[in-house]
Amino acid sequence: MGQKTHPYGFRLGIVKQWRSRYYARHNFPELLKEDELIRKYLKTRLSHAAIADVHIERKPGKVTVTVHTGRPGVVIGKRGAEVDKQLTGKEVGINVEEIKRPELDAQLVGDSVAHQLTQRISFRRAMKRAVQSAMRMGAQGIKIKAAGRLGGAEIARTEGYHEGRVPLHTLRADIDYATSTAKTTFGTIGVKVWIFKGERTEDLHGRTYSTGV
């Protein structure tokens, strides 16, 4: 039985920050539900805007939502005015951050491969193209897996491509991980992406890692 650790959760507080940042006591379940609602709303409302990540920060009476996107123009156009009162009952501020190199963002790569699969493009070609683009843009390693009825086959299987190194056990390694789902006519195909962007020399608190043995 495989016992897998989520690459993002494994590195929380070491080289990765929390995606929701606030202090909560007795009302944590409601705030968690609200966070999930905001994320789901933004991703469905701006599904064509290449949203990679949504970070939420809270201060008393105010919620700040930072949307990381590959197409900032689309999000800025909407400005997310609908998010505020009807979803949270609080004042909501929306910041938009552009992702300069979408080929190195695991969520955008996964969504792109999933979109190509729904367009009936060969899964091998889609995955190979994503691997080549990431390596060309300076990734130190990338791994992609697709699972399901690949190519419309009767029996589901898993296939993947791997280039460079992806050290999942190294905590100081900056590994971006994401999953995406392609809803094809013959069933859903799951896509997983790991991208290794290099090792961090400092943790979140500014402490330097010792690289000696």
Side-chain angles (χ1 to χ4, degrees):
M1 190 173 124
Q3 287 157 354
K4 307 288 188 293
T5 304
H6 195 291
Y8 197 99
F10 191 43
R11 290 167 176 78
L12 272 181
I14 299 167
V15 292
K16 299 282 187 189
Q17 272 195 327
W18 277 259
R19 284 173 172 152
S20 292
R21 294 187 287 280
Y22 51 85
Y23 178 73
R25 299 178 85 163
H26 58 277
N27 59 342
F28 179 71
E30 297 98 84
L31 295 181
L32 185 64
K33 199 171 177 184
E34 207 174 88
D35 288 357
E36 188 58 29
L37 195 67
I38 291 171
R39 286 197 173 93
K40 200 176 278 184
Y41 177 82
L42 284 172
K43 283 186 179 174
T44 49
R45 181 85 182 162
L46 302 168
S47 55
H48 54 291
I51 288 183
D53 211 351
V54 177
H55 286 227
I56 298 169
E57 285 187 61
R58 292 174 186 275
K59 295 186 175 95
K62 184 169 187 205
V63 183
T64 306
V65 179
T66 307
V67 180
H68 297 259
T69 171
R71 295 186 199 145
V74 179
V75 182
I76 291 165
K78 301 270 182 199
R79 209 59 207 166
E82 306 93 342
V83 181
D84 40 358
K85 299 286 184 217
Q86 59 176 331
L87 280 184
T88 63
K90 303 179 188 80
E91 186 192 339
V92 175
I94 294 220
N95 300 328
V96 179
E97 280 198 23
E98 183 185 2
I99 293 167
K100 296 278 193 286
R101 292 185 289 177
E103 296 89 352
L104 293 182
D105 190 280
Q107 189 64 60
L108 296 185
V109 171
D111 289 346
S112 161
V113 171
H115 179 68
Q116 289 176 63
L117 292 176
T118 55
Q119 302 289 311
R120 299 199 168 205
I121 289 173
S122 157
F123 68 93
R124 285 194 185 93
R125 188 187 304 165
M127 288 199 288
K128 273 183 185 168
R129 196 182 293 161
V131 166
Q132 286 163 1
S133 303
M135 294 306 284
R136 200 166 47 241
M137 290 303 288
Q140 293 198 16
I142 178 170
K143 183 164 76 168
I144 298 187
K145 277 187 180 179
R149 291 183 60 187
L150 300 174
E154 285 290 314
I155 293 177
R157 67 186 194 277
T158 305
E159 285 210 19
Y161 285 92
H162 188 285
E163 199 171 320
R165 53 188 281 264
V166 183
L168 295 178
H169 284 214
T170 310
L171 282 170
R172 66 173 175 269
D174 183 6
I175 289 179
D176 197 8
Y177 169 75
T179 60
S180 192
T181 307
K183 291 181 175 157
T184 66
T185 49
F186 37 82
T188 57
I189 293 177
V191 180
K192 288 182 178 181
V193 182
W194 295 258
I195 297 177
F196 175 44
K197 299 179 182 176
E199 290 190 4
R200 298 270 186 96
T201 52
E202 285 187 355
D203 65 6
L204 293 179
H205 307 291
R207 293 190 293 258
T208 308
Y209 293 115
S210 71
T211 48
V213 178

PDB file of all heavy atoms in Angstrom, residues 110-124:
ATOM      1  N   GLY A 110      -0.990  21.519 -15.330  1.00  0.00           N
ATOM      2  CA  GLY A 110      -1.978  20.450 -15.199  1.00  0.00           C
ATOM      3  C   GLY A 110      -3.288  20.798 -15.892  1.00  0.00           C
ATOM      4  O   GLY A 110      -3.868  19.976 -16.615  1.00  0.00           O
ATOM      5  N   ASP A 111      -3.758  22.041 -15.693  1.00  0.00           N
ATOM      6  CA  ASP A 111      -5.009  22.482 -16.328  1.00  0.00           C
ATOM      7  C   ASP A 111      -4.871  22.506 -17.849  1.00  0.00           C
ATOM      8  O   ASP A 111      -5.806  22.167 -18.571  1.00  0.00           O
ATOM      9  CB  ASP A 111      -5.409  23.874 -15.829  1.00  0.00           C
ATOM     10  CG  ASP A 111      -5.880  23.852 -14.378  1.00  0.00           C
ATOM     11  OD1 ASP A 111      -6.145  22.742 -13.863  1.00  0.00           O
ATOM     12  OD2 ASP A 111      -5.983  24.930 -13.764  1.00  0.00           O
ATOM     13  N   SER A 112      -3.681  22.910 -18.324  1.00  0.00           N
ATOM     14  CA  SER A 112      -3.446  22.965 -19.769  1.00  0.00           C
ATOM     15  C   SER A 112      -3.486  21.557 -20.380  1.00  0.00           C
ATOM     16  O   SER A 112      -4.113  21.330 -21.414  1.00  0.00           O
ATOM     17  CB  SER A 112      -2.090  23.618 -20.035  1.00  0.00           C
ATOM     18  OG  SER A 112      -1.635  23.324 -21.317  1.00  0.00           O
ATOM     19  N   VAL A 113      -2.820  20.587 -19.713  1.00  0.00           N
ATOM     20  CA  VAL A 113      -2.822  19.201 -20.208  1.00  0.00           C
ATOM     21  C   VAL A 113      -4.245  18.636 -20.172  1.00  0.00           C
ATOM     22  O   VAL A 113      -4.710  18.005 -21.129  1.00  0.00           O
ATOM     23  CB  VAL A 113      -1.859  18.313 -19.382  1.00  0.00           C
ATOM     24  CG1 VAL A 113      -2.020  16.844 -19.730  1.00  0.00           C
ATOM     25  CG2 VAL A 113      -0.415  18.746 -19.607  1.00  0.00           C
ATOM     26  N   ALA A 114      -4.980  18.904 -19.076  1.00  0.00           N
ATOM     27  CA  ALA A 114      -6.358  18.424 -18.952  1.00  0.00           C
ATOM     28  C   ALA A 114      -7.242  19.013 -20.051  1.00  0.00           C
ATOM     29  O   ALA A 114      -8.072  18.310 -20.646  1.00  0.00           O
ATOM     30  CB  ALA A 114      -6.914  18.782 -17.579  1.00  0.00           C
ATOM     31  N   HIS A 115      -7.044  20.309 -20.343  1.00  0.00           N
ATOM     32  CA  HIS A 115      -7.843  20.962 -21.398  1.00  0.00           C
ATOM     33  C   HIS A 115      -7.555  20.328 -22.761  1.00  0.00           C
ATOM     34  O   HIS A 115      -8.474  20.085 -23.550  1.00  0.00           O
ATOM     35  CB  HIS A 115      -7.526  22.457 -21.429  1.00  0.00           C
ATOM     36  CG  HIS A 115      -8.274  23.199 -22.488  1.00  0.00           C
ATOM     37  ND1 HIS A 115      -9.644  23.383 -22.454  1.00  0.00           N
ATOM     38  CD2 HIS A 115      -7.852  23.778 -23.636  1.00  0.00           C
ATOM     39  CE1 HIS A 115     -10.023  24.047 -23.524  1.00  0.00           C
ATOM     40  NE2 HIS A 115      -8.948  24.306 -24.260  1.00  0.00           N
ATOM     41  N   GLN A 116      -6.269  20.036 -23.007  1.00  0.00           N
ATOM     42  CA  GLN A 116      -5.911  19.394 -24.283  1.00  0.00           C
ATOM     43  C   GLN A 116      -6.538  18.004 -24.404  1.00  0.00           C
ATOM     44  O   GLN A 116      -6.953  17.599 -25.484  1.00  0.00           O
ATOM     45  CB  GLN A 116      -4.391  19.300 -24.410  1.00  0.00           C
ATOM     46  CG  GLN A 116      -3.731  20.653 -24.647  1.00  0.00           C
ATOM     47  CD  GLN A 116      -2.226  20.542 -24.660  1.00  0.00           C
ATOM     48  OE1 GLN A 116      -1.652  19.880 -25.507  1.00  0.00           O
ATOM     49  NE2 GLN A 116      -1.577  21.191 -23.707  1.00  0.00           N
ATOM     50  N   LEU A 117      -6.605  17.278 -23.265  1.00  0.00           N
ATOM     51  CA  LEU A 117      -7.205  15.940 -23.298  1.00  0.00           C
ATOM     52  C   LEU A 117      -8.698  16.021 -23.649  1.00  0.00           C
ATOM     53  O   LEU A 117      -9.219  15.173 -24.362  1.00  0.00           O
ATOM     54  CB  LEU A 117      -7.015  15.228 -21.958  1.00  0.00           C
ATOM     55  CG  LEU A 117      -5.576  14.849 -21.594  1.00  0.00           C
ATOM     56  CD1 LEU A 117      -5.513  14.247 -20.207  1.00  0.00           C
ATOM     57  CD2 LEU A 117      -4.996  13.864 -22.600  1.00  0.00           C
ATOM     58  N   THR A 118      -9.388  17.063 -23.133  1.00  0.00           N
ATOM     59  CA  THR A 118     -10.809  17.213 -23.471  1.00  0.00           C
ATOM     60  C   THR A 118     -10.983  17.597 -24.941  1.00  0.00           C
ATOM     61  O   THR A 118     -12.027  17.337 -25.527  1.00  0.00           O
ATOM     62  CB  THR A 118     -11.506  18.279 -22.588  1.00  0.00           C
ATOM     63  OG1 THR A 118     -10.791  19.506 -22.700  1.00  0.00           O
ATOM     64  CG2 THR A 118     -11.558  17.860 -21.130  1.00  0.00           C
ATOM     65  N   GLN A 119      -9.936  18.213 -25.524  1.00  0.00           N
ATOM     66  CA  GLN A 119      -9.976  18.574 -26.950  1.00  0.00           C
ATOM     67  C   GLN A 119      -9.556  17.406 -27.855  1.00  0.00           C
ATOM     68  O   GLN A 119      -9.323  17.575 -29.039  1.00  0.00           O
ATOM     69  CB  GLN A 119      -9.031  19.754 -27.224  1.00  0.00           C
ATOM     70  CG  GLN A 119      -9.333  20.998 -26.415  1.00  0.00           C
ATOM     71  CD  GLN A 119     -10.603  21.686 -26.853  1.00  0.00           C
ATOM     72  OE1 GLN A 119     -10.804  21.916 -28.032  1.00  0.00           O
ATOM     73  NE2 GLN A 119     -11.461  21.996 -25.905  1.00  0.00           N
ATOM     74  N   ARG A 120      -9.400  16.229 -27.255  1.00  0.00           N
ATOM     75  CA  ARG A 120      -9.033  14.990 -27.957  1.00  0.00           C
ATOM     76  C   ARG A 120      -7.633  15.006 -28.549  1.00  0.00           C
ATOM     77  O   ARG A 120      -7.347  14.315 -29.532  1.00  0.00           O
ATOM     78  CB  ARG A 120     -10.046  14.672 -29.067  1.00  0.00           C
ATOM     79  CG  ARG A 120     -11.430  14.474 -28.496  1.00  0.00           C
ATOM     80  CD  ARG A 120     -12.297  13.735 -29.458  1.00  0.00           C
ATOM     81  NE  ARG A 120     -13.510  13.310 -28.780  1.00  0.00           N
ATOM     82  CZ  ARG A 120     -14.239  12.284 -29.161  1.00  0.00           C
ATOM     83  NH1 ARG A 120     -13.858  11.562 -30.187  1.00  0.00           N
ATOM     84  NH2 ARG A 120     -15.335  11.965 -28.524  1.00  0.00           N
ATOM     85  N   ILE A 121      -6.740  15.795 -27.952  1.00  0.00           N
ATOM     86  CA  ILE A 121      -5.331  15.761 -28.368  1.00  0.00           C
ATOM     87  C   ILE A 121      -4.687  14.554 -27.695  1.00  0.00           C
ATOM     88  O   ILE A 121      -5.038  14.209 -26.568  1.00  0.00           O
ATOM     89  CB  ILE A 121      -4.629  17.083 -27.969  1.00  0.00           C
ATOM     90  CG1 ILE A 121      -5.155  18.206 -28.864  1.00  0.00           C
ATOM     91  CG2 ILE A 121      -3.117  16.980 -28.048  1.00  0.00           C
ATOM     92  CD1 ILE A 121      -4.714  19.583 -28.506  1.00  0.00           C
ATOM     93  N   SER A 122      -3.765  13.904 -28.376  1.00  0.00           N
ATOM     94  CA  SER A 122      -3.092  12.716 -27.824  1.00  0.00           C
ATOM     95  C   SER A 122      -2.457  13.039 -26.471  1.00  0.00           C
ATOM     96  O   SER A 122      -1.762  14.046 -26.322  1.00  0.00           O
ATOM     97  CB  SER A 122      -2.017  12.259 -28.809  1.00  0.00           C
ATOM     98  OG  SER A 122      -1.038  11.501 -28.147  1.00  0.00           O
ATOM     99  N   PHE A 123      -2.712  12.185 -25.473  1.00  0.00           N
ATOM    100  CA  PHE A 123      -2.197  12.441 -24.117  1.00  0.00           C
ATOM    101  C   PHE A 123      -0.672  12.446 -24.104  1.00  0.00           C
ATOM    102  O   PHE A 123      -0.052  13.196 -23.355  1.00  0.00           O
ATOM    103  CB  PHE A 123      -2.757  11.415 -23.117  1.00  0.00           C
ATOM    104  CG  PHE A 123      -2.267  10.013 -23.302  1.00  0.00           C
ATOM    105  CD1 PHE A 123      -1.166   9.553 -22.608  1.00  0.00           C
ATOM    106  CD2 PHE A 123      -2.899   9.148 -24.194  1.00  0.00           C
ATOM    107  CE1 PHE A 123      -0.707   8.262 -22.769  1.00  0.00           C
ATOM    108  CE2 PHE A 123      -2.441   7.859 -24.366  1.00  0.00           C
ATOM    109  CZ  PHE A 123      -1.345   7.405 -23.661  1.00  0.00           C
ATOM    110  N   ARG A 124      -0.064  11.614 -24.947  1.00  0.00           N
ATOM    111  CA  ARG A 124       1.413  11.575 -24.998  1.00  0.00           C
ATOM    112  C   ARG A 124       1.967  12.908 -25.501  1.00  0.00           C
ATOM    113  O   ARG A 124       2.912  13.449 -24.945  1.00  0.00           O
ATOM    114  CB  ARG A 124       1.882  10.443 -25.920  1.00  0.00           C
ATOM    115  CG  ARG A 124       1.730   9.071 -25.299  1.00  0.00           C
ATOM    116  CD  ARG A 124       2.507   8.005 -26.056  1.00  0.00           C
ATOM    117  NE  ARG A 124       2.236   6.699 -25.475  1.00  0.00           N
ATOM    118  CZ  ARG A 124       1.269   5.885 -25.915  1.00  0.00           C
ATOM    119  NH1 ARG A 124       0.505   6.244 -26.916  1.00  0.00           N
ATOM    120  NH2 ARG A 124       1.072   4.723 -25.321  1.00  0.00           N
TER     121      ARG A 124
END
